[in-house]
Amino acid sequence: MKYSWRIILLFTANTLPLASIQANGSAVLLENSQVVQQPMLQVAQATGGDTYKWAIKPKEQPATAKPETSQKTTYFQRARSYATTPESDPPRYVRNMAKTEYPLFKDLHWLDFGVDHRTRFELRDGDIRRNNLLTDYPFLLRTRAYVGIKNILDPFRMAVEFQDSRGYNSEFPRDNRDWNPYELIQTYGELYFKDALGKDDLGNNRPIRIRGGRMAWEAVDRRLLGNNQWRNTTNNFEGFRVTFGQEANDWEFDAWGVQPVIRDIDDFDGRNKSQWFYGAIGHWRKWSEVITIQPYFMGLKQDHREGRQPERDIYSPAIRAYGVLPKTNIDFDLHTIYQFGRDNGLKKSAWSYLLEFGYTFKHDWKPRLSAFYGFVSGDRDPNDNVDNRFERFFGFARPWSPDDYIVMENIKAPKVVFEFSPHKDVSIDGGYSWFWLASDTDRFNNLLNISTPNPFNRDATGQSGDFIGQSINARVNYKLTPLVDTTIGYSHFMNGEFTKNRQMAALGESRNSSNFFYVEVSIRAFK
């Protein structure tokens, strides 16, 4: 009966009567206005899911009544940059039961609950990540359920999140990118002191939150720490996290020390006891209407396990700043990262810088056009004692390319992106990207690398060239019903000289291009 409590929880999560659950989201009644929640698909979310905008619908008032003046209630400003918004805490599919339309639940302010299922069909033709250039038609299924307890036992709070991930109809063996059945991706307890640090100038509490257990979360722009909403399985960790302040405050400080969880497709997951991932992030939002500043530090320590794996000790200070230029519609997102330490006996010296500028046109469709450039270092010389290959930690790859080919390592990537929303339930985005190796003597990580690594993704002589390829892509998000979101996407990748040369060396054949098409449907229990 070692896992009996887990089995009971998983059975309960899978037998919830989804069809009978209806809710109106998080509607709130104000004294002199009615707030209605309007779902709006947000293309900045790389998952294709929805966020929400809040529309204030004034109540009918006497003709003599004067309109009330709106006041600023939060310092937080979301970055407009493409696909960089972290997942919320708790996740977006979760609702507070007291804020549903059911009078039966009106007193359950202490209960957060949600259920979500996603099915995605993919067509991948000539996938450059694979060691076989065939056409694959996988179906990916992911089911999640979340239960959170707060307020009623304060300062103690807790949450449990279950996830079941499966993939079918693929020509390739199972791997933990697609498979991780019957898992608890979050099981944590928390001490929450809501006003331990007083209040900010807007009257928002400054809490302290101390969390311990199994956790999944995203930070900064998700490039170094993300739970990976696109992939069928989730990055998660076991350890401790302490947060001073909250998102609404003018400043916030978040620190953690955790061990990554190893996804096991045949058994329950367990933490990697030979590796620690730690860090701290500051958020300065006092001037957030112009700029938000995020200085941070992340580190990775891995022991050698008696010679069975490389010993690593990597330190990564960084700073990010984003905002909107005053009196303009021009937004910016600037990010620079440096890494040093020791990696498998070599001195570590790696770096990255990311630049994005966008312009939002004055139109009902809110069209935004943006230009991005990312540089991420690769190893310059395979024969020296310095490793220049950037360590991407546990980041989210999809902002780099929608086909999941590119990761944050040894890359130069200019990109142009367009986004617009012709209807409140429809969002469209697309772009054109170019990719070069930052170092032509280092590897292209994902080439020929899934699910069996292949050394042909690197040419230490540099004679295979440095041009990886270029990509054109588009995506449409449509809210079919209040509980059902749909996404259709397509990406055409044109192979560059490096990609074709390495395919020829490894497989004896190469392709000029590859195609990726997908249809995704997400169903939630609550609006």
Side-chain angles (χ1 to χ4, degrees):
M1 299 299 290
K2 181 178 179 180
Y3 298 114
S4 60
W5 66 275
R6 296 192 187 199
I7 294 172
I8 293 171
L9 177 61
L10 302 186
F11 177 80
T12 303
N14 278 287
T15 55
L16 290 170
L18 297 183
S20 65
I21 300 177
Q22 296 180 356
N24 67 345
S26 301
V28 180
L29 294 180
L30 302 181
E31 183 178 357
N32 291 305
S33 63
Q34 180 181 1
V35 178
V36 288
Q37 191 182 45
Q38 296 180 339
M40 181 182 75
L41 295 174
Q42 196 62 263
V43 294
Q45 295 288 346
T47 64
D50 63 296
T51 54
Y52 292 87
K53 68 178 181 179
W54 292 92
I56 305 298
K57 180 181 179 182
K59 286 185 176 180
E60 295 183 3
Q61 297 183 7
T64 56
K66 295 182 179 180
E68 294 191 356
T69 303
S70 60
Q71 295 183 348
K72 180 178 178 180
T73 60
T74 177
Y75 285 99
F76 175 74
Q77 296 284 338
R78 184 182 68 82
R80 295 186 185 180
S81 49
Y82 180 72
T84 62
T85 303
E87 174 65 290
S88 61
D89 182 14
R92 282 172 290 159
Y93 70 91
V94 176
R95 300 290 180 264
N96 183 265
M97 297 304 292
K99 297 178 181 178
T100 66
E101 65 182 356
Y102 292 100
L104 177 65
F105 301 143
K106 66 182 178 63
D107 295 324
L108 299 184
H109 59 87
W110 50 270
L111 179 62
D112 289 337
F113 180 73
V115 178
D116 173 82
H117 175 79
R118 184 182 74 184
T119 296
R120 183 166 71 236
F121 165 75
E122 297 183 352
L123 185 158
R124 289 187 176 270
D125 174 49
D127 189 345
I128 68 173
R129 305 173 304 167
R130 302 290 189 174
N131 293 318
N132 193 332
L133 300 178
L134 48 74
T135 302
D136 199 26
Y137 304 92
F139 280 90
L140 303 177
L141 312 178
R142 187 187 72 185
T143 302
R144 298 181 296 177
Y146 180 100
V147 177
I149 307 298
K150 62 182 184 181
N151 298 330
I152 194 170
L153 299 175
D154 276 4
F156 178 74
R157 299 181 173 189
M158 63 173 292
V160 176
E161 186 175 16
F162 156 81
Q163 180 168 301
D164 182 84
S165 301
R166 300 167 185 266
Y168 298 98
N169 200 47
S170 176
E171 298 288 340
F172 299 98
R174 295 178 180 179
D175 61 55
N176 65 8
R177 296 170 56 87
D178 299 335
W179 275 85
N180 197 24
Y182 299 119
E183 273 303 332
L184 296 173
I185 59 173
Q186 296 203 85
T187 51
Y188 64 80
E190 176 180 285
L191 293 178
Y192 184 85
F193 306 96
K194 66 178 182 179
D195 56 357
L197 301 175
K199 298 179 182 292
D200 62 25
D201 292 341
L202 298 180
N204 298 308
N205 290 326
R206 294 189 194 274
I208 294 179
R209 185 179 66 191
I210 304 171
R211 182 175 292 185
R214 181 172 290 190
M215 298 168 280
W217 82 100
E218 299 186 316
V220 195
D221 58 1
R222 310 193 291 173
R223 298 184 193 272
L224 294 183
L225 176 54
N227 58 21
N228 212 318
Q229 290 295 308
W230 164 258
R231 197 181 64 210
N232 212 41
T233 57
T234 297
N235 294 336
N236 57 338
F237 309 87
E238 289 186 5
F240 298 92
R241 182 181 173 199
V242 181
T243 305
F244 301 88
Q246 61 171 319
E247 192 176 75
N249 293 149
D250 51 352
W251 64 263
E252 183 184 5
F253 183 80
D254 191 15
W256 68 90
V258 295
Q259 293 181 311
V261 172
I262 301 173
R263 298 185 299 277
D264 190 330
I265 65 176
D266 297 317
D267 203 350
F268 284 108
D269 296 349
R271 71 182 189 276
N272 185 347
K273 297 180 180 180
S274 67
Q275 193 176 87
W276 279 95
F277 177 53
Y278 55 92
I281 302 172
H283 305 262
W284 180 251
R285 306 187 184 99
K286 191 72 173 181
W287 316 309
S288 61
E289 292 181 353
V290 177
I291 188 171
T292 295
I293 303 173
Q294 296 176 313
Y296 66 91
F297 174 87
M298 296 183 187
L300 182 72
K301 186 174 183 61
Q302 177 177 289
D303 65 40
H304 55 76
R305 295 185 63 186
E306 300 179 350
R308 287 177 290 173
Q309 65 182 17
E311 186 171 1
R312 313 181 74 203
D313 205 357
I314 301 171
Y315 311 99
S316 186
I319 187 168
R320 179 197 185 202
Y322 68 84
V324 180
L325 296 179
K327 299 180 180 180
T328 75
N329 292 320
I330 301 173
D331 60 86
F332 62 90
D333 194 336
L334 312 175
H335 198 163
T336 183
I337 310 164
Y338 182 67
Q339 294 182 340
F340 62 97
R342 305 290 297 181
D343 193 347
N344 197 22
L346 302 178
K347 178 183 177 182
K348 191 75 169 181
S349 179
W351 58 96
S352 173
Y353 59 88
L354 313 168
L355 314 171
E356 181 169 339
F357 292 91
Y359 184 84
T360 302
F361 295 87
K362 294 181 178 179
H363 190 279
D364 291 343
W365 291 8
K366 296 182 174 60
R368 177 179 180 267
L369 180 66
S370 61
F372 168 86
Y373 181 78
F375 176 91
V376 189
S377 66
D379 190 33
R380 291 177 169 179
D381 185 350
N383 300 313
D384 64 10
N385 293 318
V386 179
D387 181 9
N388 307 116
R389 182 184 295 164
F390 191 85
E391 169 57 51
R392 67 186 187 277
F393 296 127
F394 302 94
F396 186 31
R398 187 165 165 79
W400 292 93
S401 64
D403 42 38
D404 229 16
Y405 289 173
I406 309 299
V407 299
M408 194 171 178
E409 174 188 296
N410 190 31
I411 195 75
K412 294 186 291 187
K415 177 169 61 176
V416 292
V417 176
F418 69 89
E419 308 164 68
F420 63 97
S421 180
H423 184 272
K424 67 180 181 66
D425 292 333
V426 179
S427 289
I428 301 172
D429 67 86
Y432 204 107
S433 306
W434 299 260
F435 303 104
W436 285 266
L437 297 175
S439 170
D440 60 8
T441 59
D442 199 7
R443 71 186 184 186
F444 171 24
N445 182 283
N446 269 358
L447 180 65
L448 306 166
N449 201 35
I450 299 174
S451 56
T452 304
N454 191 315
F456 285 94
N457 64 358
R458 179 177 188 175
D459 182 355
T461 70
Q463 296 180 3
S464 293
D466 65 351
F467 186 48
I468 295 172
Q470 52 193 316
S471 172
I472 184 169
N473 64 274
R475 177 178 60 171
V476 178
N477 299 322
Y478 173 55
K479 180 173 287 298
L480 186 63
T481 74
L483 298 179
V484 180
D485 299 322
T486 59
T487 305
I488 299 175
Y490 174 72
S491 174
H492 180 67
F493 190 90
M494 293 155 277
N495 295 340
E497 59 175 338
F498 179 85
T499 302
K500 290 189 285 189
N501 286 337
R502 300 320 294 163
Q503 284 180 336
M504 185 63 68
L507 309 175
E509 63 172 325
S510 65
R511 291 279 191 92
N512 289 324
S513 62
S514 65
N515 296 285
F516 172 46
F517 171 79
Y518 69 94
V519 177
E520 181 177 280
V521 178
S522 296
I523 303 173
R524 297 181 309 279
F526 298 97
K527 296 179 183 179

